[in-house]
Structure formats: structure tokens, C-alpha cells
Amino acid sequence: MNEKKLIEAIRDHPQGYGLDGTYYPTAMFLTGIDVGRSNGTLHGFTEWLVVRRGELNSFYWHKLVLLDLFPDMSLYTWRSPEHLTPEQHQQAVDHLFSLVLEFLDVRNSPRELGRMYTRYEAMSAHIEG
């Protein structure tokens, strides 16, 4: 099964993968898939989210997805299930899958991936310079 079909299958049937619809376990499950695939599935996802947001920061993708959806959210206790309402968990999980699938389209296009990294490097150079 290719990565996109796998992500879609997890999105469509989370209970079949032991997921309960909350954000942190879903994010960790996707991290596990990434690690199991030698960090190739989500390689560049953090940079893509940074470019998409247009703002450099030191957050990893787990927090960037939440920040993208809930810009005013405090991220200090983001791992706690009580940090989000059940509706917010569902929104966050849906948003995560949407972003991962969109990223996989970019990642699978050498031209788009190159553009993304060029923008990321330009943003980084601007800060360093």
C-alpha cells in the first residue's frame, strides 16, 4: 500500500488502527509510521508547514498543525486530552490528515518540493542574515 492510501485508510477507519479520535495519539501514530518507514513519509512536513504559515519558529509539526487550526491556542499542554474539547480533537485530527495528504502531493512532485525548500531556505537566510 502506498503512503497516501495508507494515510487515507487510517483517516477513514481510525478505530481499525487503535485510534480514538484524539489528536495526540493520532499524531504519534503517524510519527510511528514515519519512523517505521525510515523517516521518509513525513520528511519535510515541518518545513512545508513553516513555509505554508510564512513564519519561522522552532515548533515541530505536531504543534504547527494545531497552531494552523487554532492560532491563539496555548501549546504548553497540547498533549493532554483535556486541552481540547471533543469537537476540537475531531477538527484537529481532520486537519492533520488533510495537511498530511496535501503535503504528500507536494512531496511526490520534485518541482513542488524543490520550490518549497527554496522558500524555506530563503526564509531561513532572511533570519540568519
Side-chain angles (χ1 to χ4, degrees):
M1 179 180 295
N2 74 35
E3 292 166 327
K4 191 167 184 180
K5 288 187 187 289
L6 175 61
I7 300 300
E8 289 170 339
I10 297 165
R11 177 198 62 197
D12 295 343
H13 305 287
Q15 299 83 3
Y17 293 88
L19 297 172
D20 64 1
T22 57
Y23 181 75
Y24 182 72
T26 303
M28 292 304 103
F29 190 80
L30 293 180
T31 298
I33 289 171
D34 187 46
V35 170
R37 292 182 176 236
S38 301
N39 298 315
T41 301
L42 298 176
H43 182 75
F45 188 45
T46 297
E47 293 84 355
W48 179 77
L49 288 167
V50 165
V51 168
R52 188 175 181 278
R53 185 170 173 77
E55 175 184 46
L56 280 176
N57 60 51
S58 62
F59 293 143
Y60 193 56
W61 68 260
H62 305 97
K63 288 184 178 182
L64 289 172
V65 168
L66 288 174
L67 199 58
D68 189 59
L69 185 60
F70 306 114
D72 298 325
M73 172 184 279
S74 169
L75 297 175
Y76 290 108
T77 59
W78 72 278
R79 293 180 189 146
S80 171
E82 299 82 29
H83 188 73
L84 299 173
T85 67
E87 295 80 20
Q88 288 173 320
H89 274 289
Q90 188 61 57
Q91 289 174 328
V93 168
D94 291 346
H95 193 59
L96 171 59
F97 282 119
S98 174
L99 290 173
V100 168
L101 291 168
E102 185 178 343
F103 166 72
L104 290 176
D105 287 339
V106 170
R107 193 209 61 191
N108 292 334
S109 168
R111 176 173 279 168
E112 288 301 315
L113 188 62
R115 286 183 185 141
M116 183 276 293
Y117 275 117
T118 298
R119 284 182 285 226
Y120 183 79
E121 289 300 319
M123 290 171 68
S124 298
H126 178 72
I127 296 297
E128 295 171 5

